[in-house]
Amino acid sequence: LYVGSEVAYGGWISTYAVMQQLATPAGAAIFASAYWGAFTVGRLIAIPTAMKISPLLMVAVSYGGAFLSAFILLLFPTSLWVLWVVTIGFGFFTGPIFPSIVSFAGQLMRLSARLTGLMFLGSSFGAMTLPWLIGNLFPGMGAVALMAVIVIALGICLAVLGMVINIHRRKESAVEKEVTI
């Protein structure tokens, strides 16, 4: 769902800007460029930051920032300056998510080639499915389909992250009890 959100935003933000009459077709491409530029900066800044904070904290902050950015655009869908802030914020916060998730997964379990392959298979499926779904929803829902699907997808991601953290903490607690006994 995360990779689908990342790809969908980058692929559909220009269409969103045109549909909301915030840019001409020629001018709307700048939003995609700004998004992918902010995405790159976010991923680059995440490299030294990852040496100082845990992958879990990086994932939580990144998901939270991405979700908040998407939600704000859902609240103010026709504001040009909100679109700019959200495009840059969403790109910046989504950049670190995938490598941080892989790192966090490596802390939770031994990542074999098979598990890593399944992670990439799932991300590829999301990268195909969410943009396709949004494209099919545009005619009926309008431009709001982009942010609605992304907010729902990231909300599900945050819920799953919460469940994983809860399960992980329970397992750590059980191991600590066994060690002290």
Side-chain angles (χ1 to χ4, degrees), residues 110-121:
R110 187 175 123 351
L111 288 180
S112 64
R114 182 177 182 186
L115 281 174
T116 305
L118 288 172
M119 287 174 63
F120 278 89
L121 178 66

Side-chain angles (χ1 to χ4, degrees), residues 150-169:
I150 288 175
V151 165
I152 291 167
L154 291 178
I156 292 169
C157 289
L158 283 168
V160 170
L161 178 63
M163 290 187 308
V164 168
I165 291 168
N166 192 24
I167 291 167
H168 178 63
R169 287 195 175 142

Side-chain angles (χ1 to χ4, degrees), residues 2-176:
Y2 152 71
V3 175
S5 297
E6 166 192 309
V7 172
Y9 194 91
W12 287 112
I13 192 58
S14 298
T15 303
Y16 176 93
V18 170
M19 288 178 79
Q20 295 293 63
Q21 298 177 345
L22 297 172
T24 64
I30 194 79
F31 289 103
S33 297
Y35 167 73
W36 289 114
F39 179 92
T40 302
V41 169
R43 191 160 284 181
L44 288 173
I45 289 175
I47 295 167
T49 305
M51 292 187 228
K52 296 182 181 2
I53 67 172
S54 71
L56 174 58
L57 182 58
M58 181 81 82
V59 169
V61 168
S62 297
Y63 266 136
F67 179 83
L68 184 61
S69 295
F71 190 73
I72 288 170
L73 190 55
L74 197 56
L75 294 176
F76 304 100
T78 59
S79 171
L80 180 60
W81 72 270
V82 169
L83 180 59
W84 274 111
V85 170
V86 166
T87 296
I88 293 167
F90 191 75
F92 181 80
F93 284 111
T94 56
I97 293 176
F98 192 81
S100 298
I101 287 174
V102 173
S103 180
F104 180 55
Q107 287 182 343
L108 296 179
M109 65 187 111
R110 187 175 123 351
L111 288 180
S112 64
R114 182 177 182 186
L115 281 174
T116 305
L118 288 172
M119 287 174 63
F120 278 89
L121 178 66
S123 65
S124 297
F125 181 74
M128 292 184 307
T129 306
L130 256 59
W132 171 82
L133 175 63
I134 291 166
N136 283 305
L137 291 175
F138 267 150
M141 287 181 68
V144 73
L146 175 65
M147 299 322 294
V149 170
I150 288 175
V151 165
I152 291 167
L154 291 178
I156 292 169
C157 289
L158 283 168
V160 170
L161 178 63
M163 290 187 308
V164 168
I165 291 168
N166 192 24
I167 291 167
H168 178 63
R169 287 195 175 142
R170 278 196 239 150
K171 284 183 179 180
E172 280 183 339
S173 178
V175 169
E176 287 175 11

